[in-house]
Amino acid sequence: MTRFSRASSNPSPETNPAPPRLKSDEGPAMRIIVPLQGVVQGRGGLVLGSLLPCALFYFLQLYLKSRNRPSQSPPSSPPTTLSTPDDHHASPSSPPSASGSTIHRTLSRGLLSPRSHPNVSSRAAAVARPDEDSLYYVGYKRCLRDPFHRVDNPEGIIQLGLAENRLSQDLILDWLEKNAYGALLGGDKPGELNIMGLTTYLPFDGSDNFKNAVAGFMGQVLQESVSFDPSQIVLTSGATPAMEILSFCLADPGNAFLVPSPYYPGWDRDIKWRTGVELVPVPCRSTDNFNISIPALERAYTQAKKRGLKIRAVLIANPTNPTGHVLSRDTLIDLLDFVTEKNIHLISDEVFAGSIHGESKFVSVAEVLESEGIDKTRVHIVYGLSKDLPLPGFRVGVIHSYNETVIAASAKLARFSSVSAPTQQLLTVMLSDKQFISNYLEANRQRMRRMYLLFVDALKQLGIECANSEAGFYCWADMSRYITSYSEKGEKKLWEKLLTVAKVNVTPGLSCHCIEPGWFRCCFTTLTEEDIPLVVERMKRVTQGPK
Amino acid sequence: MVVKVYKPCVPLSAIATSSTHGEDSPYFAGWRAYDEDPYDATTNPSGVIQMGLAENQVSFDLLEKYLEEHQEVSKLVNGIGGFRENALFQDYHGLNSFRKAMASFMEEIRGGKVKFDSNRIVLTAGATAANELLTFIIANPGDALLVPTPYYPGFDRDLRWRTGVNIIPVNCNSSNKFQITKQALEEAYAKAKKADLQVKGLLMTNPSNPLGTAMTRPVLEEILNFISSKNMHLISDEIYSGSVFSSEEFISIAEILEERGYADAQRVHIVYSLSKDLGLPGFRVGAIYSYNDAVVTTARRMSSFTLVSSQTQKMLSPMLSDVTFTKNYIKTNRERLKRRYNYVVERLRECGIECLHGNAGLFCWMNLKPLLEEATTDGELKLWETILKDLKLDISPGSSCHCTEPGWFRVCFANMSIETLDVALSRFTSFMEKRRKT
């Protein structure tokens, strides 16, 4: 069951001639096709359903074109452009943001006059499209423009939509200030610099030393329950390219992955954009504690087959994002049985493996493989240093696979996304400082636990219950009692209210493909304890304000 | 749990199992030979000398000196800089200060003849990523790019592998020193049309790899006119711009655009990197500079797959913004490369080997046509094997660069000490002497 059908099964007060809500990231072609769909489905006649919208679209573009006649600027300086947020504002890391309104006009100009402007590819067009249908990115952008700062901008938008961990960054920064110079430039003699080793080409998939250090770190995170072989590792500039490279290796354009939902919104972009691979959400339910259901996977697989869609893998996150669960050993075994039976792959994104704040012990799929004697060549792990260590800026991701061909191909593809040499060198030293790492992991765990409890408690005061989470930087909050209509629309309205009235950016469940309206992901790791009462006050503007 | 008998190997994608990575070519085979038997002055004096890798090691002492003299800058290797709060994080715009530093450096290389707006710079992890990104952006699977030959062997992989885009060669030959002609462009375009391929752009390297020559003004004008008339994009890969032996001899496409008042600039995208000019290939710092807003936006978003480490950005920012340093570095680097080039060409001439007259880059384009048994690709590869096996020198055969004239080889000279270079040159000398006797 998709969001789509759920929405239409709810009687909505308006009769709605507009096309049904599109899944996020459908290409521009859909804007033409959907009105036609309306005709096929008997909604609206030929004129209302197709010609009118197309004609309106055409006239709109003409209007925009005539408004934006290009005027060439004088030669002395290159055509100036987009304002971009500078370092100081930079709310950091992953989700992309486009710049100001100038871009939209230029883009439509480009679409209008193909004879005078070379077009970009359809892949690029999809990528460059304004983000309006993805609330995950819309919220991020708006937060960037008006970011909360305790002193400089106390009325700004509080960012609870970005899974970044600042709780223990001081420990890392201290280590860097003390050790980085020696790690990178320290020559054999005092006062001597040695940067020679940093400058030359390294293997694109990471130097041996760094691979060893990362494999060791991964083992340490799992408390040595698994030992990772460095030769089965490919290092990339972040988990984002790691996931994309793996997708390129496991599936052809037009194939699909089954993905238990709700899932990380970034995957819609990272995996689908350039590979042409589809993601098929397999909904998990609150009544089931959002646990993965094998029968649901079976149904989804069969349905996909009927549609002629070839499933190549099941993609999971463990710990899960946004629900923050640690998967049980039994669930992992069931998943392994499922993919074995279907002869497909299993991708396990374990980026939060070292960010467990709850009581459960994390079990990696690697551990299950060792003990269950299953064909390992179908199992691949994605990891990185952006979550368990707060180093998203340094860009370190990992593909771990037992499949030689996947490793060989990924190693070659890593040339487009390699880790910078000085960063490899620096982190090799840091990761080898096992005592420091151990202290960090433990201190961070405690700080996360404290903040999680405080935050969940604060939400409870507002009448908002959270699903039990044990991992990750967020809690999964049920705000359905505050939405006016139990629908996608209602959730969107609440999200908007939270953003504009409470001035708090949270991630709505619909961005995560959650089929039950009202769930929101709220990250608490960019907050300090002092911020929490402020967040409560802000949210009260919505929870206690007029409906 | 029942042990299930599993079916043989779970299937992988076409990309994973294809050989479009191109690493079966002699270009890479030579590298492998070097890896297995690398030359070392003391421990392996008869090993293979690597002359197939375009790396610049002639000027890195200048970098070291800078770091030594600027202790406060060298402290920045920790990647922290002034703002502790944000040190470990970044978004895909990259650090403003670093983009400004890149813009400034690129302007210095062009002698201040053009200005670059740092907001048009998109950072990527190397020029390899930049070229692939632009290809994804301007072309759909099945489309084509025109690339003048001979070209960098890596393009076969970088431009085609994941993108599904084809390369149509624009053939150049020694009759006019391998310059690109209007006729060659038109021929290539017609060939694409005949094969029903949509040509989306032209990708050129200026200065050229492997030729080691900077493009002249008339050729650049010709190319701009051509791409305008065909409504296509132009990618100007200028990663060797800082390695032109004298600054007057390099004309960037940016200059031509400026002279034309930036008319049609929206077709043009420049690729740059610190791997060659600054000799920092391990740092993975590349950039796209585009005059097209849509391309800048798209490239920025796509760059999330290939961001530059914030630590690296913080580390390099002060150095690249230090105009005193960069001016001196660029000047000195150019002089040293020029000296090396002249030395190599002279020594080769003495033993009877001619090179194309070059004025840029980390390599020379050597003419070994007289030595071929037969003037074919096979003949060339045979000669290449002889040079690898008998002379223990890894040089790159023109055929792997898609050169239509057999007998040309690219020989890199900047990736080794002068002593090693001497050893390599003396191997050529003895080889040629032996041949004269027989």
Side-chain angles (χ1 to χ4, degrees):
Chain A
M1 184 164 89
T2 63
R3 286 196 78 87
F4 207 57
S5 53
R6 175 177 58 70
S8 55
S9 71
N10 270 305
S12 167
E14 322 155 20
T15 48
N16 194 354
R21 191 179 177 284
L22 300 172
K23 293 205 292 286
S24 51
D25 286 306
E26 298 286 56
M30 288 305 276
R31 294 181 209 255
I32 314 268
I33 291 173
V34 172
L36 296 180
Q37 250 183 11
V39 172
V40 171
Q41 291 169 4
R43 259 181 275 141
L46 178 64
V47 171
L48 280 180
S50 58
L51 291 187
L52 264 186
C54 294
L56 284 171
F57 179 73
Y58 174 68
F59 285 120
L60 176 65
Q61 293 299 335
L62 270 188
Y63 168 67
L64 286 175
K65 176 184 183 182
S66 65
R67 255 196 5 169
N68 303 319
R69 279 263 157 251
S71 55
Q72 290 302 338
S73 48
S76 55
S77 57
T80 54
T81 174
L82 358 161
S83 61
T84 51
D86 67 34
D87 293 355
H88 308 276
H89 287 335
S91 212
S93 247
S94 6
S97 77
S99 315
S101 50
T102 333
I103 293 303
H104 301 175
R105 293 206 292 271
T106 315
L107 199 50
S108 56
R109 248 194 288 153
L111 290 172
L112 280 182
S113 40
R115 263 169 269 120
S116 52
H117 293 282
N119 284 336
V120 294
S121 67
S122 52
R123 263 183 299 221
V127 167
R129 242 179 343 111
D131 282 321
E132 274 81 37
D133 19 330
S134 176
L135 302 185
Y136 179 61
Y137 298 115
V138 173
Y140 175 74
K141 258 194 290 178
R142 292 216 223 158
C143 203
L144 267 188
R145 280 187 225 145
D146 182 19
F148 169 77
H149 188 270
R150 280 171 213 102
V151 175
D152 301 335
N153 190 18
E155 277 307 304
I157 302 177
I158 299 178
Q159 174 67 286
L160 300 183
L162 196 53
E164 253 171 28
N165 181 6
R166 292 174 182 254
L167 298 178
S168 317
Q169 61 170 334
D170 58 309
L171 301 175
I172 301 280
L173 291 167
D174 288 345
W175 189 97
L176 287 174
E177 276 174 357
K178 258 206 304 271
N179 299 287
Y181 186 84
L184 275 179
L185 297 184
D188 296 328
K189 307 192 197 86
E192 183 193 271
L193 289 178
N194 176 24
I195 63 163
M196 183 59 181
L198 297 180
T199 57
T200 56
Y201 279 104
L202 294 176
F204 286 117
D205 58 329
S207 73
D208 284 342
N209 281 344
F210 190 43
K211 280 189 188 179
N212 287 336
V214 171
F217 174 67
M218 288 167 72
Q220 195 175 0
V221 163
L222 296 187
Q223 291 154 26
E224 312 302 343
S225 61
V226 180
S227 160
F228 291 96
D229 180 351
S231 70
Q232 291 173 327
I233 279 176
V234 166
L235 298 174
T236 58
S237 54
T240 298
M243 186 59 83
E244 198 203 28
I245 286 171
L246 200 52
S247 304
F248 269 116
C249 290
L250 304 183
D252 296 307
N255 295 160
F257 296 160
L258 292 180
V259 193
S261 65
Y263 64 76
Y264 165 54
W267 282 345
D268 285 330
R269 177 200 65 191
D270 300 345
I271 298 177
K272 288 159 63 162
W273 265 2
R274 308 192 297 185
T275 65
V277 173
E278 261 307 308
L279 297 183
V280 177
V282 182
C284 305
R285 298 157 192 286
S286 61
T287 44
D288 208 7
N289 224 5
F290 292 100
N291 281 325
I292 293 173
S293 146
I294 299 293
L297 280 175
E298 283 283 0
R299 277 196 300 275
Y301 185 87
T302 313
Q303 277 174 9
K305 220 171 161 188
K306 281 211 192 104
R307 278 158 56 200
L309 193 56
K310 195 161 180 208
I311 302 293
R312 301 299 291 267
V314 171
L315 168 62
I316 59 168
N318 178 26
T320 61
N321 177 2
T323 50
H325 292 151
V326 165
L327 296 184
S328 71
R329 197 183 192 89
D330 283 339
T331 306
L332 293 172
I333 293 173
D334 288 342
L335 282 166
L336 287 168
D337 284 344
F338 178 80
V339 299
T340 303
E341 199 229 323
K342 303 284 189 268
N343 196 25
I344 59 179
H345 297 271
L346 178 67
I347 305 170
S348 180
D349 181 347
E350 303 192 344
V351 286
F352 289 105
S355 302
I356 317 289
H357 54 74
E359 296 305 317
S360 291
K361 185 177 172 305
F362 175 72
V363 177
S364 163
V365 68
E367 202 184 322
V368 178
L369 281 176
E370 306 272 305
S371 44
E372 297 291 329
I374 297 171
D375 171 20
K376 295 176 175 180
T377 60
R378 60 179 82 254
V379 178
H380 322 277
I381 295 174
V382 169
Y383 189 62
L385 300 186
S386 300
K387 308 292 180 186
D388 291 345
L389 293 178
L391 302 171
F394 285 23
R395 311 314 301 148
V396 180
V398 183
I399 297 171
H400 177 279
S401 176
Y402 303 92
N403 188 313
E404 277 177 11
T405 314
V406 170
I407 288 296
S410 301
K412 295 190 176 89
L413 287 170
R415 71 182 340 99
F416 301 109
S417 309
S418 293
V419 183
S420 186
T423 303
Q424 292 193 44
Q425 169 76 351
L426 178 58
L427 295 182
T428 298
V429 177
M430 184 193 282
L431 297 180
S432 308
D433 188 345
K434 296 260 182 196
Q435 188 59 63
F436 165 72
I437 295 293
S438 172
N439 293 343
Y440 176 84
L441 291 174
E442 183 49 36
N444 180 55
R445 205 189 72 81
Q446 287 176 17
R447 294 181 192 187
M448 278 183 58
R449 178 126 190 95
R450 185 178 166 73
M451 194 61 76
Y452 169 76
L453 292 172
L454 284 172
F455 193 75
V456 164
D457 203 57
L459 290 182
K460 206 176 244 157
Q461 289 171 34
L462 294 164
I464 298 170
E465 291 291 329
C466 294
N468 273 332
S469 294
E470 294 199 280
F473 302 159
Y474 33 78
C475 51
W476 185 233
D478 182 1
M479 302 197 200
S480 54
R481 68 190 288 192
Y482 292 112
I483 61 179
T484 44
S485 82
Y486 190 72
S487 63
E488 241 177 62
K489 217 162 167 217
E491 180 180 298
K492 216 176 158 182
K493 260 179 147 167
L494 176 58
W495 171 81
E496 184 73 47
K497 251 178 130 176
L498 287 167
L499 191 59
T500 51
V501 174
K503 298 197 81 180
V504 167
N505 180 41
V506 293
T507 304
L510 70 97
S511 301
C512 308
H513 300 266
C514 182
I515 54 166
E516 295 172 37
W519 290 91
F520 289 80
R521 189 189 81 166
C522 312
C523 299
F524 55 81
T525 47
T526 49
L527 299 172
T528 64
E529 286 184 34
E530 293 79 42
D531 292 330
I532 293 185
L534 174 60
V535 172
V536 171
E537 282 315 301
R538 291 280 193 91
M539 306 259 298
K540 276 189 183 154
R541 294 181 196 170
V542 170
T543 60
Q544 290 177 3
K547 281 231 153 174
Chain B
M1 200 204 75
V2 176
V3 173
K4 298 218 163 93
V5 176
Y6 45 83
K7 299 174 195 145
C9 207
V10 49
L12 298 175
S13 68
I15 282 180
T17 48
S18 82
S19 52
T20 320
H21 49 74
E23 292 188 13
D24 306 321
S25 91
Y27 182 72
F28 298 103
W31 290 11
R32 283 194 288 275
Y34 167 76
D35 283 335
E36 284 157 23
D37 181 20
Y39 170 82
D40 181 283
T42 35
T43 60
N44 190 17
S46 61
V48 175
I49 296 180
Q50 173 65 290
M51 305 190 91
L53 182 58
E55 228 178 41
N56 182 3
Q57 291 180 18
V58 306
S59 306
F60 95 97
D61 59 306
L62 299 175
L63 299 175
E64 267 199 335
K65 186 153 165 278
Y66 180 82
L67 289 173
E68 254 175 38
E69 289 171 2
H70 293 82
Q71 284 290 313
E72 78 290 1
V73 166
S74 36
K75 294 297 180 195
L76 288 181
V77 298
N78 59 27
I80 297 179
F83 300 95
R84 254 178 79 104
E85 270 183 10
N86 286 326
L88 308 177
F89 307 93
Q90 68 162 310
D91 72 12
Y92 65 12
H93 287 85
L95 304 181
N96 223 10
S97 53
F98 187 67
R99 275 188 288 117
K100 288 204 167 90
M102 283 291 277
S104 160
F105 188 61
M106 287 169 70
E107 285 171 0
E108 276 307 312
I109 286 176
R110 288 154 186 78
K113 283 181 272 178
V114 278
K115 290 217 96 36
F116 289 111
D117 176 0
S118 65
N119 288 319
R120 289 196 172 279
I121 287 182
V122 177
L123 299 172
T124 61
T128 298
N131 282 323
E132 195 206 29
L133 214 81
L134 280 171
T135 306
F136 267 119
I137 290 174
I138 67 175
N140 290 316
D143 288 343
L145 289 183
L146 300 182
V147 185
T149 69
Y151 61 76
Y152 162 56
F155 282 159
D156 286 329
R157 172 197 56 212
D158 300 345
L159 307 179
R160 299 185 319 158
W161 195 8
R162 296 194 292 191
T163 60
V165 171
N166 301 293
I167 294 179
I168 304 288
V170 178
N171 289 319
C172 306
N173 56 63
S174 59
S175 64
N176 70 339
K177 299 187 193 150
F178 292 95
Q179 291 193 78
I180 302 165
T181 63
K182 181 161 184 229
Q183 190 190 0
L185 289 167
E186 295 286 358
E187 263 173 32
Y189 189 82
K191 194 161 156 214
K193 276 259 122 34
K194 218 166 150 205
D196 225 3
L197 295 173
Q198 285 227 45
V199 180
K200 290 297 171 68
L202 173 76
L203 189 151
M204 64 185 192
T205 310
N206 178 26
S208 160
N209 173 11
L211 299 175
T213 53
M215 291 174 66
T216 62
R217 178 175 293 275
V219 173
L220 289 170
E221 301 268 11
E222 191 67 73
I223 287 173
L224 260 183
N225 295 340
F226 175 77
I227 60 130
S228 290
S229 69
K230 302 283 192 275
N231 192 27
M232 60 167 89
H233 293 268
L234 176 63
I235 300 173
S236 182
D237 183 341
E238 303 190 349
I239 64 169
Y240 291 102
S241 48
S243 306
V244 184
F245 303 154
S246 84
S247 65
E248 293 82 50
E249 297 186 53
F250 174 61
I251 303 171
S252 165
I253 196 75
E255 285 176 55
I256 315 273
L257 287 175
E258 203 230 34
E259 285 159 17
R260 292 183 177 199
Y262 295 104
D264 263 353
Q266 280 165 347
R267 305 175 182 290
V268 181
H269 326 282
I270 298 175
V271 168
Y272 190 58
S273 149
L274 300 183
S275 300
K276 308 295 180 183
D277 296 342
L278 219 52
L280 299 174
F283 279 44
R284 311 315 301 144
V285 179
I288 293 170
Y289 187 92
S290 176
Y291 296 93
N292 183 316
D293 288 351
V295 172
V296 172
T297 307
T298 312
R300 264 217 224 298
R301 294 182 184 189
M302 263 196 205
S303 71
S304 21
F305 298 110
T306 187
L307 295 174
V308 178
S309 170
S310 57
Q311 182 229 343
T312 302
Q313 293 183 52
K314 288 254 168 68
M315 193 174 154
L316 293 177
S317 232
M319 197 173 75
L320 285 185
S321 322
D322 184 339
V323 174
T324 315
F325 166 76
T326 56
K327 261 201 166 68
N328 179 53
Y329 178 92
I330 293 164
K331 183 161 159 294
T332 312
N333 183 51
R334 283 182 164 149
E335 282 167 8
R336 290 181 183 181
L337 287 174
K338 183 176 184 175
R339 241 178 297 140
R340 274 235 181 162
Y341 175 84
N342 288 339
Y343 178 67
V344 169
V345 166
E346 201 37 52
R347 284 281 302 269
L348 289 172
R349 182 171 288 144
E350 278 166 15
C351 66
I353 299 176
E354 288 297 322
C355 296
L356 180 73
H357 179 75
N359 61 353
L362 313 176
F363 33 72
C364 52
W365 188 236
M366 180 188 281
N367 182 358
L368 294 182
K369 287 200 284 195
L371 278 72
L372 294 180
E373 277 176 23
E374 35 171 87
T376 60
T377 306
D378 275 339
E380 178 185 287
L381 288 177
K382 255 173 129 186
L383 179 58
W384 169 76
E385 260 199 86
T386 306
I387 294 175
L388 185 59
K389 292 215 163 70
D390 298 348
L391 277 75
K392 299 294 206 74
L393 295 175
D394 173 35
I395 62 179
S396 310
S399 49
S400 56
C401 305
H402 299 270
C403 184
T404 49
E405 255 178 65
W408 292 89
F409 290 78
R410 188 192 78 169
V411 180
C412 299
F413 56 72
N415 58 322
M416 59 190 81
S417 67
I418 198 80
E419 292 79 22
T420 308
L421 186 58
D422 274 335
V423 172
L425 290 169
S426 56
R427 290 184 187 178
F428 272 117
T429 311
S430 10
F431 174 68
M432 293 301 282
E433 271 174 18
K434 250 202 311 210
R435 276 186 70 102
R436 263 195 292 276
K437 292 187 183 135
T438 50

